[in-house]
Amino acid sequence: MTDAPDHARIADRLASQGYAVAPDFLPVAMAARLADEARALRADGHMRRAGVGQAGGVGIHDELRSDSIHWLEQEHASPAQHAYLDALESLRLEVNRSLYLGLFDFEGHFAVYPPGAFYRKHLDRFRGDSRRTLTTVLYLNPDWQEAHGGKLRLYLDPDGAGPALDIPPQGGTLVTFLSGRFWHEVQPAGTERLSITGWFRTRGEGVL
């Protein structure tokens, strides 16, 4: 499991550049267990096509994203999910201590991208709702190869143009970034791509 210095390094990167990439945030074996759980949820029919928007305005838009998701529920979490959520809680406390972001709670889901699936460029913070503050993406794919594609493209300019950082979805890697600052997209992959995507939220303004 990750130790406090790893959390501190993530907080330092967030302070200096607004994003952090932490390889081996979770042991490979634990990431593999979470991957198995994602596949089991899909096989049992518990995955649903991901929509775009919030509350009553969520809709399926095939031209924007083509993944399927299953929301995590603390009361129904498996031991592996609890271990990951505990690691995130330690990270939340460290980030709040270091950066005073006021992160209050977490919401997240498994995401399964079948071969060829994608998510077009977007921001994670909803218009009129400032609560999503820090995005977290944990990758669950063992032995990911360059030829598989499926990278997370993180645009470094606030307007979503200019230079970008391409991050391969290697199992156990955690990517964090400020939700309202970084445009990003998921590029199509040649093989199944698994992750847990989530957001630390503040008590800030709800839907206006």
Side-chain angles (χ1 to χ4, degrees), residues 41-207:
L41 288 166
R42 180 190 57 192
D44 291 341
H46 297 303
M47 289 280 180
R48 295 291 181 267
R49 279 293 312 278
V52 176
Q54 61 177 325
V58 176
I60 303 299
H61 296 274
D62 292 335
E63 74 280 11
L64 299 178
R65 67 185 300 185
S66 48
D67 57 317
S68 296
I69 66 171
H70 177 83
W71 288 94
L72 300 179
E73 298 177 347
Q74 182 79 31
E75 61 272 24
H76 299 131
S78 69
Q81 292 170 36
H82 273 299
Y84 176 52
L85 293 173
D86 288 347
L88 286 183
E89 175 63 10
S90 296
L91 177 60
R92 183 187 72 85
L93 295 174
E94 175 62 30
V95 170
N96 279 348
R97 185 190 68 79
S98 301
L99 306 183
Y100 307 103
L101 288 184
L103 305 178
F104 174 65
D105 66 0
F106 175 81
E107 61 177 1
H109 58 65
F110 283 106
V112 175
Y113 288 77
F118 58 86
Y119 196 162
R120 300 299 186 202
K121 187 194 297 186
H122 64 284
L123 278 177
D124 279 351
R125 180 175 284 179
F126 295 121
R127 183 175 300 174
D129 187 342
S130 63
R131 288 175 294 179
R132 284 185 175 178
T133 299
L134 186 65
T135 297
T136 66
V137 187
L138 176 72
Y139 293 116
L140 309 178
N141 315 285
D143 302 321
W144 194 263
Q145 304 298 316
E146 181 73 19
H148 293 160
K151 292 180 179 179
L152 172 69
R153 174 162 289 178
L154 193 68
Y155 290 86
L156 303 182
D157 287 344
D159 59 1
L165 176 68
D166 286 345
I167 305 167
Q170 182 62 49
T173 296
L174 180 75
V175 179
T176 54
F177 55 89
L178 297 175
S179 303
R181 175 175 165 185
F182 290 97
W183 291 84
H184 57 286
E185 63 181 294
V186 176
Q187 300 175 324
T191 189
E192 180 182 68
R193 182 187 188 277
L194 306 172
S195 63
I196 298 178
T197 299
W199 303 271
F200 285 116
R201 303 186 299 181
T202 66
R203 294 181 185 269
E205 297 296 330
V207 179

